[in-house]
mmCIF file of all heavy atoms in Angstrom:
data_model
loop_
_atom_site.group_PDB
_atom_site.id
_atom_site.type_symbol
_atom_site.label_atom_id
_atom_site.label_comp_id
_atom_site.label_asym_id
_atom_site.label_seq_id
_atom_site.Cartn_x
_atom_site.Cartn_y
_atom_site.Cartn_z
ATOM 1 N N TYR B 50 25.346 0.042 0.547
ATOM 2 C CA TYR B 50 25.861 1.365 0.308
ATOM 3 C C TYR B 50 25.520 2.339 1.411
ATOM 4 O O TYR B 50 25.185 3.547 1.109
ATOM 5 C CB TYR B 50 25.409 1.900 -1.059
ATOM 6 C CG TYR B 50 25.748 1.029 -2.212
ATOM 7 C CD1 TYR B 50 24.840 0.421 -3.015
ATOM 8 C CD2 TYR B 50 27.108 0.854 -2.578
ATOM 9 C CE1 TYR B 50 25.219 -0.396 -4.074
ATOM 10 C CE2 TYR B 50 27.456 0.013 -3.604
ATOM 11 C CZ TYR B 50 26.551 -0.572 -4.357
ATOM 12 O OH TYR B 50 26.897 -1.376 -5.387
ATOM 13 N N ASN B 51 25.645 1.954 2.544
ATOM 14 C CA ASN B 51 25.291 2.746 3.733
ATOM 15 C C ASN B 51 23.992 3.376 3.859
ATOM 16 O O ASN B 51 23.832 4.449 4.439
ATOM 17 C CB ASN B 51 26.436 3.787 3.921
ATOM 18 C CG ASN B 51 27.811 3.306 4.166
ATOM 19 O OD1 ASN B 51 27.952 2.235 4.983
ATOM 20 N ND2 ASN B 51 28.871 3.880 3.603
ATOM 21 N N VAL B 52 22.999 2.784 3.195
ATOM 22 C CA VAL B 52 21.608 3.232 3.289
ATOM 23 C C VAL B 52 21.017 2.494 4.392
ATOM 24 O O VAL B 52 20.839 1.309 4.446
ATOM 25 C CB VAL B 52 20.839 2.959 1.956
ATOM 26 C CG1 VAL B 52 19.380 3.402 2.086
ATOM 27 C CG2 VAL B 52 21.500 3.703 0.817
ATOM 28 N N SER B 53 20.490 3.280 5.417
ATOM 29 C CA SER B 53 20.031 2.582 6.626
ATOM 30 C C SER B 53 18.544 2.120 6.486
ATOM 31 O O SER B 53 17.856 2.593 5.611
ATOM 32 C CB SER B 53 20.057 3.635 7.798
ATOM 33 O OG SER B 53 19.064 4.597 7.561
ATOM 34 N N LYS B 54 18.204 1.169 7.281
ATOM 35 C CA LYS B 54 16.810 0.692 7.321
ATOM 36 C C LYS B 54 15.863 1.777 7.724
ATOM 37 O O LYS B 54 14.727 1.760 7.119
ATOM 38 C CB LYS B 54 16.635 -0.476 8.301
ATOM 39 C CG LYS B 54 15.363 -1.152 8.251
ATOM 40 C CD LYS B 54 15.345 -2.467 9.011
ATOM 41 C CE LYS B 54 13.976 -3.082 9.089
ATOM 42 N NZ LYS B 54 13.395 -3.525 7.817
ATOM 43 N N ALA B 55 16.246 2.635 8.557
ATOM 44 C CA ALA B 55 15.334 3.758 8.953
ATOM 45 C C ALA B 55 15.056 4.565 7.713
ATOM 46 O O ALA B 55 13.794 5.003 7.553
ATOM 47 C CB ALA B 55 16.085 4.616 9.984
ATOM 48 N N LEU B 56 16.020 4.885 6.887
ATOM 49 C CA LEU B 56 15.715 5.643 5.667
ATOM 50 C C LEU B 56 14.855 5.003 4.743
ATOM 51 O O LEU B 56 13.800 5.452 4.174
ATOM 52 C CB LEU B 56 17.032 6.079 4.908
ATOM 53 C CG LEU B 56 16.848 6.816 3.647
ATOM 54 C CD1 LEU B 56 16.191 8.138 3.856
ATOM 55 C CD2 LEU B 56 18.182 6.994 3.044
ATOM 56 N N ILE B 57 15.051 3.657 4.550
ATOM 57 C CA ILE B 57 14.266 2.855 3.669
ATOM 58 C C ILE B 57 12.753 2.793 4.156
ATOM 59 O O ILE B 57 11.914 2.948 3.431
ATOM 60 C CB ILE B 57 14.758 1.415 3.630
ATOM 61 C CG1 ILE B 57 16.179 1.419 2.920
ATOM 62 C CG2 ILE B 57 13.852 0.390 2.834
ATOM 63 C CD1 ILE B 57 16.199 1.792 1.551
ATOM 64 N N ASN B 58 12.720 2.615 5.534
ATOM 65 C CA ASN B 58 11.256 2.716 6.022
ATOM 66 C C ASN B 58 10.637 4.051 5.807
ATOM 67 O O ASN B 58 9.351 4.032 5.627
ATOM 68 C CB ASN B 58 11.322 2.368 7.576
ATOM 69 C CG ASN B 58 11.540 0.802 7.727
ATOM 70 O OD1 ASN B 58 11.324 0.012 6.820
ATOM 71 N ND2 ASN B 58 12.035 0.471 8.889
ATOM 72 N N LYS B 59 11.347 5.124 5.946
ATOM 73 C CA LYS B 59 10.762 6.479 5.693
ATOM 74 C C LYS B 59 10.202 6.572 4.265
ATOM 75 O O LYS B 59 9.170 7.178 3.947
ATOM 76 C CB LYS B 59 11.754 7.579 6.045
ATOM 77 C CG LYS B 59 11.912 7.801 7.555
ATOM 78 C CD LYS B 59 12.881 8.835 7.783
ATOM 79 C CE LYS B 59 13.175 8.951 9.295
ATOM 80 N NZ LYS B 59 14.284 9.880 9.649
ATOM 81 N N VAL B 60 11.197 6.051 3.356
ATOM 82 C CA VAL B 60 10.751 6.129 1.905
ATOM 83 C C VAL B 60 9.534 5.271 1.611
ATOM 84 O O VAL B 60 8.588 5.593 0.907
ATOM 85 C CB VAL B 60 12.010 5.721 1.021
ATOM 86 C CG1 VAL B 60 11.525 5.527 -0.470
ATOM 87 C CG2 VAL B 60 13.096 6.762 1.162
ATOM 88 N N GLN B 61 9.509 4.074 2.326
ATOM 89 C CA GLN B 61 8.333 3.206 2.213
ATOM 90 C C GLN B 61 7.052 3.970 2.642
ATOM 91 O O GLN B 61 6.012 3.844 2.037
ATOM 92 C CB GLN B 61 8.505 1.901 2.964
ATOM 93 C CG GLN B 61 7.359 0.979 3.118
ATOM 94 C CD GLN B 61 6.828 0.432 1.929
ATOM 95 O OE1 GLN B 61 7.530 0.471 0.900
ATOM 96 N NE2 GLN B 61 5.696 -0.193 1.919
ATOM 97 N N LEU B 62 7.138 4.567 3.769
ATOM 98 C CA LEU B 62 5.923 5.256 4.372
ATOM 99 C C LEU B 62 5.463 6.363 3.424
ATOM 100 O O LEU B 62 4.286 6.574 3.201
ATOM 101 C CB LEU B 62 6.313 5.799 5.755
ATOM 102 C CG LEU B 62 5.080 6.457 6.446
ATOM 103 C CD1 LEU B 62 3.934 5.479 6.603
ATOM 104 C CD2 LEU B 62 5.570 6.941 7.828
ATOM 105 N N LEU B 63 6.507 7.098 2.914
ATOM 106 C CA LEU B 63 6.183 8.182 1.950
ATOM 107 C C LEU B 63 5.455 7.587 0.720
ATOM 108 O O LEU B 63 4.436 8.155 0.182
ATOM 109 C CB LEU B 63 7.417 9.018 1.659
ATOM 110 C CG LEU B 63 7.251 10.079 0.536
ATOM 111 C CD1 LEU B 63 6.367 11.237 1.058
ATOM 112 C CD2 LEU B 63 8.601 10.542 0.119
ATOM 113 N N THR B 64 6.006 6.501 0.236
ATOM 114 C CA THR B 64 5.350 5.825 -0.923
ATOM 115 C C THR B 64 3.978 5.458 -0.682
ATOM 116 O O THR B 64 3.069 5.707 -1.496
ATOM 117 C CB THR B 64 6.201 4.671 -1.398
ATOM 118 O OG1 THR B 64 7.573 5.060 -1.594
ATOM 119 C CG2 THR B 64 5.641 3.929 -2.672
ATOM 120 N N VAL B 65 3.687 4.856 0.461
ATOM 121 C CA VAL B 65 2.387 4.339 0.779
ATOM 122 C C VAL B 65 1.417 5.488 0.963
ATOM 123 O O VAL B 65 0.306 5.504 0.420
ATOM 124 C CB VAL B 65 2.344 3.505 1.980
ATOM 125 C CG1 VAL B 65 0.919 3.206 2.532
ATOM 126 C CG2 VAL B 65 3.112 2.240 1.893
ATOM 127 N N VAL B 66 1.852 6.561 1.617
ATOM 128 C CA VAL B 66 0.919 7.798 1.804
ATOM 129 C C VAL B 66 0.728 8.395 0.376
ATOM 130 O O VAL B 66 -0.462 8.759 0.074
ATOM 131 C CB VAL B 66 1.601 8.817 2.748
ATOM 132 C CG1 VAL B 66 0.923 10.166 2.757
ATOM 133 C CG2 VAL B 66 1.616 8.175 4.193
ATOM 134 N N LEU B 67 1.736 8.612 -0.384
ATOM 135 C CA LEU B 67 1.514 9.165 -1.802
ATOM 136 C C LEU B 67 0.610 8.270 -2.545
ATOM 137 O O LEU B 67 -0.344 8.828 -3.312
ATOM 138 C CB LEU B 67 2.877 9.254 -2.531
ATOM 139 C CG LEU B 67 3.694 10.551 -2.252
ATOM 140 C CD1 LEU B 67 4.996 10.380 -2.900
ATOM 141 C CD2 LEU B 67 2.923 11.752 -2.779
ATOM 142 N N ALA B 68 0.713 7.035 -2.508
ATOM 143 C CA ALA B 68 -0.193 6.169 -3.305
ATOM 144 C C ALA B 68 -1.652 6.262 -2.796
ATOM 145 O O ALA B 68 -2.537 6.231 -3.547
ATOM 146 C CB ALA B 68 0.367 4.686 -3.133
ATOM 147 N N PHE B 69 -1.796 6.318 -1.421
ATOM 148 C CA PHE B 69 -3.175 6.526 -0.886
ATOM 149 C C PHE B 69 -3.740 7.762 -1.373
ATOM 150 O O PHE B 69 -4.963 7.711 -1.902
ATOM 151 C CB PHE B 69 -3.021 6.552 0.690
ATOM 152 C CG PHE B 69 -4.294 6.794 1.394
ATOM 153 C CD1 PHE B 69 -5.204 5.707 1.548
ATOM 154 C CD2 PHE B 69 -4.764 8.039 1.785
ATOM 155 C CE1 PHE B 69 -6.442 5.844 2.205
ATOM 156 C CE2 PHE B 69 -5.928 8.173 2.446
ATOM 157 C CZ PHE B 69 -6.775 7.076 2.658
ATOM 158 N N PHE B 70 -3.124 8.895 -1.356
ATOM 159 C CA PHE B 70 -3.699 10.091 -1.817
ATOM 160 C C PHE B 70 -3.817 10.073 -3.379
ATOM 161 O O PHE B 70 -4.845 10.621 -3.916
ATOM 162 C CB PHE B 70 -2.928 11.379 -1.387
ATOM 163 C CG PHE B 70 -3.191 11.611 -0.030
ATOM 164 C CD1 PHE B 70 -2.088 11.436 0.962
ATOM 165 C CD2 PHE B 70 -4.368 12.031 0.511
ATOM 166 C CE1 PHE B 70 -2.268 11.825 2.262
ATOM 167 C CE2 PHE B 70 -4.552 12.337 1.830
ATOM 168 C CZ PHE B 70 -3.478 12.140 2.795
ATOM 169 N N SER B 71 -2.867 9.491 -4.005
ATOM 170 C CA SER B 71 -2.959 9.362 -5.524
ATOM 171 C C SER B 71 -4.222 8.592 -6.020
ATOM 172 O O SER B 71 -4.790 8.928 -6.994
ATOM 173 C CB SER B 71 -1.664 8.685 -6.064
ATOM 174 O OG SER B 71 -0.555 9.441 -5.762
#
Side-chain angles (χ1 to χ4, degrees):
Y50 299 116
N51 294 323
V52 177
S53 70
K54 183 170 176 64
L56 176 62
I57 295 295
N58 287 339
K59 287 178 184 176
V60 170
Q61 168 69 12
L62 183 59
L63 177 66
T64 303
V65 170
V66 169
L67 273 172
F69 178 78
F70 287 114
S71 295

